[in-house]
Amino acid sequence: MEKQKMDRKQEKFKILKFGGTSLGTVERIKHVANLICNNELNLVVLSAMSGTTNSLAEIASLLFNGDIDGAQRDIKRLESKYIEVADKLYLSAKSIEEAKKFILCSFSSLQTIAQSPISSKQEKIILSQGELLITRLMHIYLKEIGIVSVLLPAIEFMRTDRNGEPDIHFIKRNVCKLLKHYPNNRLFITQGYICRNVSGEIDNLQRGGSDYTASLLGSALNACEIQIWTDIDGLHNNDPRVSTTAPVRTLTFDEASKLAYFGAKILHPTCILPAKLKNIPVRLLNTMNPQAPGTLISDTADTGKIKAVAAKDNVTYIKLRSHYKIPCYRFLEKIFHCFAQSHTPIDLVVTSNVEISLSIDNKIHLPKIISMLERYADVSVEDDMVIICVVGDLKWYNVGFEHQIVEALKDIPVRMISYGDNCDVSFVMRRDDKKRALEALSQRVFS
């Protein structure tokens, strides 16, 4: 016993996150259980079963719109789905009874909420049920097959601050405090996505938040590795819907962050930063093909290589030309202040002394922004644009990559080119040219 405690103290956690598709059927739940039962020190983060969060969001939408009957009907339908899962997942009557008791309790609370139109606070409670259900079902299944696991409630240690950002110090202090109660255990299960806010209310980390949960916990525990398990063999070098692709086996943190931000769906953009700050490798793996090498994200670069291409849709392109009403050195300040006031991030920007081109992907406050911008500049706006981002070791001294990229796009009209002198070159163009651009880059850069 003393030796086991000593080994546990010296050993580092692995964080394993499984997405909804990896848990989408009874067979896949069992498969994930086999993957996590490897006698390593594992903290497993689970997303809701595929389709559940969408169903819960639809229930919340019906309640917001006052359709009480429709919401209650959908709650019963989703409850029946989980009862069926319990019947198929477990062999013993005891496990089935325990699972069904939790399922019925969870959906009873939803039916109670669904007695009248809801608030945003109640919406968050509704959306949290998917993760709470899958982690409890997994915990019961592991117990049935003789595997000891500890179910850690994420709402006891995952919290956001008054700005809606993760409270890093709170998370580290409380997850470490909770783990100290289980010094001899090696397998822990918790929920991704859900948390509490600074007021103590149930909240969430938005879509893709389970990746973020995994990365934050990896950082808090100084993990040896963060594994993101999906149904794809790592991150690919292009969009498989428009081009033949190949997996990218290694990426730097910066390269992965750019690809995630500019359209690669396998990884959530926020996932990278906590891992990068602690230099914790992130490995993207395929639940359906566990032997595949996947993609390793670390601080080690493959020098001089173009790695991958990603595309971001629903982009708005804005071009500004100064009225010369203010000095040139104040023009940029005024323009960026307009976006800062509206809490609207800018994806890309290119500027000269009197002209600025930029792109955004959030149009909620665009009318207000344009109204403010027009005090200082002539403003033109184009919707239905995309950003094509080429990622790799593209530093200025690695000559030749510019020619390859521009040559590939020579027949495609481009509104804007942004080069950050690090790991990416990005282009803004019309949505109608997206497929042609991705195919041309694939043929010229990767062939």
Side-chain angles (χ1 to χ4, degrees):
M1 184 68 73
E2 288 303 319
K3 183 179 185 299
Q4 189 175 18
K5 288 184 179 181
M6 186 182 299
D7 290 344
R8 166 71 186 272
K9 285 181 179 179
Q10 294 172 349
E11 194 175 0
K12 287 189 174 184
F13 272 92
K14 277 188 179 178
I15 312 298
L16 287 67
K17 177 264 177 179
F18 291 88
T21 306
S22 298
L23 298 155
T25 65
V26 167
E27 292 73 21
R28 290 185 178 182
I29 293 172
K30 292 180 178 180
H31 179 55
V32 168
N34 288 332
L35 291 176
I36 64 179
C37 296
N38 54 15
N39 203 36
E40 294 185 338
L41 186 57
N42 291 335
L43 174 52
V44 181
V45 178
L46 300 183
S47 297
M49 290 182 70
S50 58
T52 298
T53 301
N54 287 339
S55 297
L56 292 169
E58 178 60 26
I59 289 167
S61 178
L62 291 170
L63 290 172
F64 271 122
N65 293 324
D67 187 354
I68 309 299
D69 292 339
Q72 292 179 342
R73 180 189 63 242
D74 285 1
I75 290 170
K76 290 300 295 182
R77 185 183 297 127
L78 191 58
E79 179 186 74
S80 298
K81 172 187 171 180
Y82 274 90
I83 292 294
E84 184 180 351
V85 168
D87 283 329
K88 292 180 179 179
L89 181 59
Y90 307 107
L91 294 177
S92 72
K94 182 179 179 182
S95 296
I96 294 172
E97 181 184 1
E98 184 180 355
K100 285 186 177 180
K101 183 178 179 181
F102 185 82
I103 292 166
L104 293 173
C105 181
S106 177
F107 283 96
S108 174
S109 67
L110 289 182
Q111 290 286 4
T112 301
I113 293 172
Q115 299 299 315
S116 60
I118 60 170
S119 66
S120 60
K121 293 179 185 179
Q122 292 169 312
E123 178 191 23
K124 302 291 176 61
I125 296 172
I126 292 171
L127 293 177
S128 71
Q129 297 307 305
E131 278 71 20
L132 294 172
L133 283 162
I134 189 59
T135 50
R136 182 58 66 106
L137 294 180
M138 178 64 78
H139 179 63
I140 295 170
Y141 177 71
L142 291 171
K143 182 166 59 174
E144 182 179 72
I145 64 174
I147 303 297
V148 176
S149 67
V150 178
L151 183 57
L152 301 177
I155 55 175
E156 291 190 17
F157 50 84
M158 296 301 299
R159 191 177 79 170
T160 54
D161 60 23
R162 61 182 69 257
N163 297 315
E165 297 296 327
D167 189 333
I168 304 297
H169 299 295
F170 181 94
I171 293 169
K172 180 175 182 177
R173 181 174 66 251
N174 285 276
V175 73
C176 290
K177 180 180 177 181
L178 196 57
L179 288 169
K180 285 181 179 178
H181 294 299
Y182 308 98
N184 301 316
N185 292 83
R186 302 186 61 77
L187 180 58
F188 300 84
I189 313 291
T190 194
Q191 302 85 26
Y193 178 63
I194 64 176
C195 62
R196 290 191 187 274
N197 59 30
V198 72
S199 301
E201 301 158 344
I202 299 295
D203 210 326
N204 60 61
L205 297 172
Q206 307 301 316
R207 291 285 181 161
S210 293
D211 287 358
Y212 205 7
T213 299
S215 189
L216 289 164
L217 289 174
S219 176
L221 297 173
N222 196 26
C224 62
E225 186 171 278
I226 299 165
Q227 297 180 354
I228 307 296
W229 290 79
T230 68
D231 59 344
I232 302 172
D233 182 16
L235 199 150
H236 282 232
N237 63 0
N238 206 334
D239 188 332
R241 293 168 295 183
V242 300
S243 178
T244 301
T245 68
V248 181
R249 295 308 180 196
T250 60
L251 289 167
T252 66
F253 290 115
D254 287 340
E255 290 166 350
S257 180
K258 292 289 184 182
L259 289 172
Y261 186 78
F262 288 116
K265 303 300 183 186
I266 189 173
L267 187 67
H268 198 264
T270 53
C271 173
I272 298 299
L273 183 58
K276 177 183 177 181
L277 292 175
K278 289 289 187 71
N279 194 20
I280 300 170
V282 178
R283 199 178 294 272
L284 310 181
L285 295 165
N286 185 352
T287 312
M288 316 310 162
N289 184 17
Q291 288 73 38
T295 301
L296 177 64
I297 302 167
S298 68
D299 64 349
T300 304
D302 289 337
T303 57
K305 288 187 178 180
I306 296 176
K307 298 287 191 65
V309 178
K312 186 174 189 177
D313 298 316
N314 302 314
V315 169
T316 298
Y317 170 69
I318 303 171
K319 187 168 184 178
L320 309 164
R321 184 174 179 84
S322 174
H323 287 158
Y324 298 96
K325 292 181 178 179
I326 55 176
C328 291
Y329 60 82
R330 294 202 63 199
F331 183 52
L332 283 174
E333 174 199 352
K334 292 293 186 182
I335 298 304
F336 290 126
H337 182 67
C338 294
F339 288 91
Q341 270 194 318
S342 302
H343 301 282
T344 301
I346 297 171
D347 288 332
L348 300 174
V349 61
V350 176
T351 180
S352 67
N353 62 331
V354 295
E355 290 186 354
I356 299 175
S357 294
L358 54 86
S359 66
I360 61 173
D361 64 0
N362 185 343
K363 294 171 55 178
I364 294 176
H365 303 294
L366 188 57
K368 177 184 175 183
I369 291 171
I370 291 173
S371 176
M372 291 189 289
L373 292 174
E374 286 177 336
R375 303 173 195 168
Y376 314 108
D378 294 322
V379 183
S380 61
V381 177
E382 290 184 72
D383 291 320
D384 294 323
M385 309 295 280
V386 296
I387 294 173
I388 305 291
C389 182
V390 183
V391 166
D393 182 26
L394 307 182
K395 298 181 178 67
W396 65 269
Y397 48 78
N398 293 327
V399 296
F401 68 83
E402 304 99 327
H403 171 74
Q404 286 181 275
I405 297 167
V406 174
E407 178 70 16
L409 300 176
K410 65 181 181 180
D411 297 323
I412 296 172
V414 173
R415 291 291 190 279
M416 178 179 164
I417 302 174
S418 174
Y419 171 44
D421 188 25
N422 184 16
C423 70
D424 70 293
V425 181
S426 299
F427 303 82
V428 177
M429 62 185 67
R430 296 176 304 184
R431 180 183 60 185
D432 293 343
D433 293 319
K434 169 186 168 181
K435 182 178 179 180
R436 194 156 58 104
L438 291 175
E439 289 175 343
L441 285 164
S442 189
Q443 292 169 11
R444 181 70 177 85
V445 174
F446 300 125
S447 295

